[in-house]
Amino acid sequence: MAEGRSPVKRQGSSPVKRERRSPVKRDRITDVPRTYDGMVTNFIMTLTHRRPEKLKEIQAIMKPESSTLDMFSFIWGLREAHFKLSPDYFTSKKSDDSSFIYWRLGNTHLSRKDKDLALKYFNLAIQLAPHPPMVIDDKVISSQVAKGKDDSQEKLEGNPGCHSSEGWGEYVSLAYAYEARSYLLFDMDEYSKCKRDIELVLELGCPPMIAAKLNHMKVLCEERIESPREEAASPTSSASSHSRRSESGGSTDSSPQRKPVVESPVSFKYKCSDPPVLGDRSSAIPAFCSSVRVAFSKDMGRSLVAKRNISHGELVAVEEGYCTAVRLEHLRTYCVVCLKRTLAPLPCPSCSMVVFCSDHCRIQGLANVHWQECPILPTMAELNMGINPLLALNLFMKNTLTKLREVAPQVIAETRHQPPELRGFSYEGVYDHTHYRTVYNLVTNKAKRGYKDLLSKAMEAFVIVKVLQAGGRYFRDSEGEKFYPSEEDLMFTGALLMHHMMNFGCNSGGIFEVEIIGKEVDKNPIRLYGAGIFPAVSLMNHSCYANCVVLSYGRYRVVKASRAIRAGSQLTCQYVDVLKGNLMERRARLLPQYFFVCHCEACEGNWPEGLQYTTAFNLRCVRCHVLVNANTKKCSQCNLYYHKRTTVSGEPHLTTYEYNLVRKKVEQALKDYKRAEHRLIRRGEESEADMKIVSNLIELYDDFVELPSYIHVAAQSTYNSMNYKLACSAYTVEDNSPQCLVS
């Protein structure tokens, strides 16, 4: 017993010990699994201990022969499912206090010349600040504001202080954050974005002295937007600094003064170009060029085939995603509408979880999908179910319950009566990637799934239906009025969700950017920050030695030929890199998700082990592709001579070549390629001339060299890597510490 203390006594009773509940015991009693995996474990354990007979019934119903409606209805009918698989509901609140914390952190890092973290913290301050209500399509969108001290304050050191409201409007924390960011954007030569932030501050309200300085900076922005200077060409060419308001709320300089200073590098240099324009579109598959058609075989199902010879580098397809989603951990970096990385994002007026790159995207998002998902995103974040449930939510919210009630039964009826090769096509013979029927008819591989897999999909659908119910914005009639869903509505939604959870697992395509952490391009990782459903591109089959490269341009998917594709050949894409894994590793990645064993040329030849690294090459016959004898200059099979360039008798589309001349061309192209490859891949330079050198080598090998060849494969890998970087990439500074929540 501690000295100076006596036991607590009650009158007329023996001494009673003061009990303390251990934290472990308290957590065990009160904690409810918040993640999806925890809920599933709890659900299965409950059935195992209390009603094991139900597990046998689940095993009997969860089989490929059962319909998704039967499987989902069974899970929905279990009372344990409603107790254990019903998630807690979370909300997202904005807070003046939290916003001001990050405003101060941004100013602190700006004073240390760390513009990277300063920008990220200013962005976060804007996202967390209470926002004025917005009216979109007669819907008033406003935020829930946290009262008093919130949890985020406990995680950050330092007293945030308080705002001085003198001369500022009602939304003072938002105005502070926009004003701070406007100065930084001016410093970065981002004049259009700076001007937008200034206008937002003036609209929110600020003291006259601040307004005068901001108006002066706005005039400078307008002048430089109209007449950009040479030194303002790069988004990261910021070699200037100016005083900011002190942390206690002091005044700023009269105008941004440009002074050369030594500063740390910045990581907000990025590329996310607009996709190229596909000119000659196919009338049957509008996402592809007219040189492509759909073929069908019992062994491989549907595929895309070249109608004519397609050259290396030719643009084959440009497709906008039917539905897209940003991964939860990247929501504060990429616009949820166009899926482009955003330097100076605009916040959602209601939640603090997503950002928009422009007013156009914000209006578009708030008018439709994001307005519906806004109340449920915090819950989805706690559940941590992965990207496919987010895609499913995007699909359902994009279409709305009313539209799906009308379209889905028609599509399902069509599917039952159409042969496999015609599914997804309209009666006019068009595979329209913007129509729901193409998404519904993507392969599910249901017949190859076991009961555990099917049960998993049914439970995912169950949880998503519960989340949609809790959100209150999906179950609405054609007039937009909220209603309580009937059992039929719930079963329809759940069964359809289960169907899409299966076909999304096989067909969702990653949306990515190259994360540039060093000069060596082939060592830069690819960051998967989102996913989308691209019904037309999904028709392409996989090959570990693919002849097409698939590129991300935000919510668009672009396909280019990475080498020559002969007429009648399949267009193929690559799920795994043939040069970054052996045969067993590739098959181990493909089988669990895509349910097939690959037998492409690379797998049959056991590449890369079976592909010898050498610069030696042999020239081949243009007709039969057999080796041409280097001494006689004659093909042993066709008896064609290669002394000079002549048209092949009876085959005017074929032409022989002069052996010695072509060999010299290939040898020179190899020398040029090694130098260009070093500059492009090892030094990270971006040169159109070097890209042409790589393309020239690929084309020469396509036309004249005996294949397969390691150099040919490596050159395509170089070409693909540079296309990834040029399409969508971002520079990362490795030594930024501590890591910002926006990163």
Side-chain angles (χ1 to χ4, degrees):
M1 184 179 299
E3 187 176 350
R5 292 188 180 180
S6 59
V8 177
K9 294 185 179 181
R10 291 183 181 175
Q11 191 173 5
S13 64
S14 59
V16 178
K17 291 184 178 179
R18 183 176 296 169
E19 293 184 359
R20 277 176 54 184
R21 226 173 174 184
S22 69
V24 175
K25 188 174 182 181
R26 181 174 65 251
D27 291 343
R28 191 186 305 124
I29 291 174
T30 60
D31 277 3
V32 177
R34 293 183 173 184
T35 66
Y36 171 75
D37 289 341
M39 291 165 56
V40 167
T41 301
N42 206 355
F43 170 63
I44 298 298
M45 289 180 64
T46 300
L47 287 180
T48 302
H49 289 96
R50 297 182 182 178
R51 291 212 290 174
E53 72 281 0
K54 286 297 177 183
L55 289 178
K56 295 182 179 179
E57 294 181 32
I58 289 175
Q59 190 167 357
I61 193 70
M62 297 295 163
K63 55 186 180 181
E65 296 78 18
S66 301
S67 68
T68 55
L69 180 60
D70 290 340
M71 289 186 279
F72 180 80
S73 299
F74 184 86
I75 295 297
W76 191 266
L78 295 174
R79 64 175 181 269
E80 289 83 1
H82 290 274
F83 282 112
K84 303 300 180 180
L85 294 179
S86 294
D88 295 336
Y89 186 62
F90 297 87
T91 58
S92 174
K93 295 183 179 180
K94 294 177 180 284
S95 163
D96 281 312
D97 292 333
S98 296
S99 175
F100 191 56
I101 290 172
Y102 289 107
W103 176 85
R104 288 193 60 180
L105 284 172
N107 278 313
T108 299
H109 286 284
L110 192 59
S111 66
R112 298 170 183 170
K113 306 297 187 252
D114 190 342
K115 296 182 181 180
D116 178 55
L117 283 179
L119 178 66
K120 291 174 181 176
Y121 283 131
F122 288 150
N123 288 345
L124 192 54
I126 289 169
Q127 293 157 39
L128 292 174
H131 196 285
M134 293 181 66
V135 180
I136 308 291
D137 288 350
D138 297 326
K139 297 187 289 281
V140 179
I141 303 168
S142 59
S143 59
Q144 296 188 49
V145 181
K147 301 295 184 182
K149 189 174 182 179
D150 57 24
D151 293 338
S152 62
Q153 287 183 257
E154 299 175 1
K155 299 177 184 178
L156 297 169
E157 297 179 359
N159 179 10
C162 60
H163 289 297
S164 173
S165 59
E166 184 178 352
W168 295 87
E170 180 181 357
Y171 298 93
V172 58
S173 61
L174 184 61
Y176 263 48
Y178 274 131
E179 188 223 4
R181 192 174 73 177
S182 70
Y183 283 107
L184 180 54
L185 290 173
F186 187 94
D187 213 24
M188 294 165 52
D189 301 330
E190 291 287 344
Y191 301 119
S192 296
K193 294 181 176 64
C194 174
K195 178 184 174 185
R196 183 191 65 186
D197 279 7
I198 291 172
E199 291 170 347
L200 290 170
V201 177
L202 297 175
E203 184 179 340
L204 291 167
C206 62
M209 185 179 296
I210 300 295
K213 296 169 185 175
L214 290 176
N215 277 313
H216 173 64
M217 188 162 65
K218 180 181 175 181
V219 171
L220 294 177
C221 288
E222 291 170 344
E223 291 175 352
R224 295 177 188 185
I225 291 171
E226 293 176 1
S227 304
R229 298 173 301 174
E230 291 183 3
E231 63 267 25
S234 170
T236 58
S237 61
S238 51
S240 59
S241 176
H242 51 83
S243 301
R244 302 292 191 270
R245 178 184 295 111
S246 66
E247 291 185 359
S248 60
S251 62
T252 59
D253 292 344
S254 60
S255 64
Q257 301 295 322
R258 307 187 64 80
K259 301 175 183 178
V261 294
V262 178
E263 299 170 346
S264 62
V266 293
S267 67
F268 37 70
K269 180 180 178 183
Y270 63 93
K271 285 179 183 168
C272 195
S273 307
D274 291 330
V277 177
L278 184 65
D280 187 20
R281 291 183 178 271
S282 166
S283 58
I285 325 167
F288 278 78
C289 65
S290 60
S291 307
V292 178
R293 64 178 176 86
V294 177
F296 179 81
S297 68
K298 291 184 179 180
D299 296 333
M300 303 190 69
R302 289 183 296 188
S303 60
L304 296 178
V305 173
K307 294 164 62 176
R308 61 165 176 82
N309 290 339
I310 296 176
S311 304
H312 157 75
E314 191 171 332
L315 183 62
V316 175
V318 177
E319 180 179 9
E320 183 178 6
Y322 184 87
C323 55
T324 54
V326 178
R327 292 180 179 272
L328 290 167
E329 62 269 28
H330 298 303
L331 280 175
R332 286 174 169 158
T333 307
Y334 302 89
C335 174
V336 292
V337 174
C338 66
L339 274 79
K340 289 187 177 183
R341 180 183 278 265
T342 174
L343 180 77
L346 293 175
C348 169
S350 178
C351 74
S352 58
M353 294 197 65
V354 307
V355 296
F356 304 94
C357 66
S358 63
D359 286 311
H360 174 77
C361 280
R362 181 158 66 171
I363 292 172
Q364 186 179 343
L366 295 176
N368 191 5
V369 172
H370 181 64
W371 178 77
Q372 295 180 67
E373 73 178 1
C374 191
I376 63 178
L377 270 181
T379 302
M380 294 301 296
E382 291 289 338
L383 289 171
N384 194 25
M385 295 176 69
I387 191 67
N388 285 340
L390 295 177
L391 278 174
L393 285 171
N394 189 285
L395 180 145
F396 276 65
M397 292 170 177
K398 172 183 176 179
N399 285 285
T400 72
L401 177 63
T402 303
K403 184 177 178 181
L404 284 174
R405 270 297 202 180
E406 177 185 347
V407 175
Q410 297 175 4
V411 171
I412 295 170
E414 288 176 7
T415 303
R416 289 173 181 165
H417 296 93
Q418 284 180 322
E421 59 267 31
L422 296 180
R423 290 173 185 171
F425 283 85
S426 68
Y427 290 117
E428 293 77 23
V430 178
Y431 193 86
D432 182 3
H433 62 278
T434 65
H435 196 282
Y436 174 73
R437 68 164 60 87
T438 60
V439 181
Y440 181 86
N441 282 285
L442 293 174
V443 63
T444 63
N445 285 312
K446 182 184 174 187
K448 300 177 182 179
R449 298 180 185 270
Y451 91 92
K452 289 184 179 179
D453 193 323
L454 293 170
L455 173 60
S456 174
K457 298 297 181 286
M459 290 188 294
E460 287 175 348
F462 182 99
V463 173
I464 296 173
V465 171
K466 285 288 186 180
V467 172
L468 287 173
Q469 279 186 288
R473 293 183 178 178
Y474 176 71
F475 291 104
R476 292 177 176 254
D477 59 26
S478 57
E479 302 297 325
E481 295 297 325
K482 182 179 177 181
F483 69 89
Y484 190 81
S486 65
E487 191 76 4
E488 184 183 359
D489 290 326
L490 296 173
M491 294 305 101
F492 168 80
T493 303
L496 203 56
L497 270 167
M498 187 176 174
H499 173 87
H500 285 300
M501 293 310 297
M502 289 188 286
N503 69 6
F504 282 10
C506 303
N507 296 281
S508 64
I511 296 174
F512 56 87
E513 69 180 9
V514 177
E515 186 178 358
I516 301 176
I517 59 176
K519 291 184 177 180
E520 297 187 49
V521 173
D522 58 344
K523 294 183 180 179
N524 288 325
I526 289 179
R527 183 204 299 267
L528 286 171
Y529 67 84
I533 298 299
F534 304 89
V537 174
S538 294
L539 293 176
M540 296 175 66
N541 282 331
H542 160 80
S543 171
C544 298
Y545 182 45
N547 53 27
C548 292
V549 57
V550 180
L551 307 170
S552 284
Y553 284 79
R555 64 181 295 115
Y556 287 86
R557 180 150 281 199
V558 172
V559 182
K560 291 183 178 180
S562 56
R563 65 175 183 273
I565 305 172
R566 298 170 66 186
S569 300
Q570 280 196 40
L571 278 69
T572 55
C573 58
Q574 183 175 268
Y575 300 163
V576 291
D577 192 339
V578 68
L579 294 181
K580 295 182 180 178
N582 59 36
L583 173 63
M584 298 307 296
E585 290 171 340
R586 294 199 302 271
R587 287 184 171 175
R589 289 181 60 186
L590 292 170
L591 186 60
Q593 182 173 357
Y594 301 104
F595 299 95
F596 70 86
V597 177
C598 185
H599 292 285
C600 70
E601 182 180 357
C603 290
E604 293 299 307
N606 192 23
W607 297 2
E609 280 82 353
L611 195 64
Q612 184 179 4
Y613 176 77
T614 177
T615 56
F617 64 92
N618 297 306
L619 300 185
R620 70 170 188 258
C621 175
V622 296
R623 176 192 281 167
C624 64
H625 291 190
V626 170
L627 176 69
V628 174
N629 189 295
N631 296 320
T632 64
K633 311 297 187 292
K634 180 182 178 181
C635 173
S636 59
Q637 182 167 314
C638 295
N639 294 322
L640 288 177
Y641 284 94
Y642 287 84
H643 295 295
K644 60 181 180 179
R645 181 181 176 86
T646 58
T647 302
V648 177
S649 178
E651 300 181 66
H653 62 285
L654 294 178
T655 305
T656 61
Y657 53 85
E658 186 178 344
Y659 186 94
N660 291 335
L661 178 61
V662 168
R663 187 165 189 87
K664 288 180 181 179
K665 282 185 177 181
V666 176
E667 288 172 348
Q668 184 60 48
L670 273 170
K671 293 178 183 178
D672 294 340
Y673 167 73
K674 295 304 293 182
R675 291 191 289 266
E677 190 265 351
H678 178 78
R679 291 189 292 265
L680 292 171
I681 300 300
R682 304 299 165 216
R683 293 167 58 180
E685 297 177 0
E686 298 175 12
S687 166
E688 186 176 342
D690 284 338
M691 287 291 286
K692 288 181 178 178
I693 290 173
V694 176
S695 295
N696 180 54
L697 180 73
I698 294 172
E699 289 167 1
L700 286 172
Y701 269 66
D702 287 338
D703 293 338
F704 304 112
V705 176
E706 184 183 32
L707 301 175
S709 161
Y710 187 95
I711 291 294
H712 190 227
V713 176
Q716 291 172 66
S717 180
T718 299
Y719 176 81
N720 294 348
S721 295
M722 289 306 300
N723 271 284
Y724 292 147
K725 179 182 177 183
L726 294 172
C728 192
S729 59
Y731 290 79
T732 298
V733 177
E734 298 179 78
D735 58 355
N736 270 344
S737 181
Q739 288 297 315
C740 176
L741 297 177
V742 189
S743 301

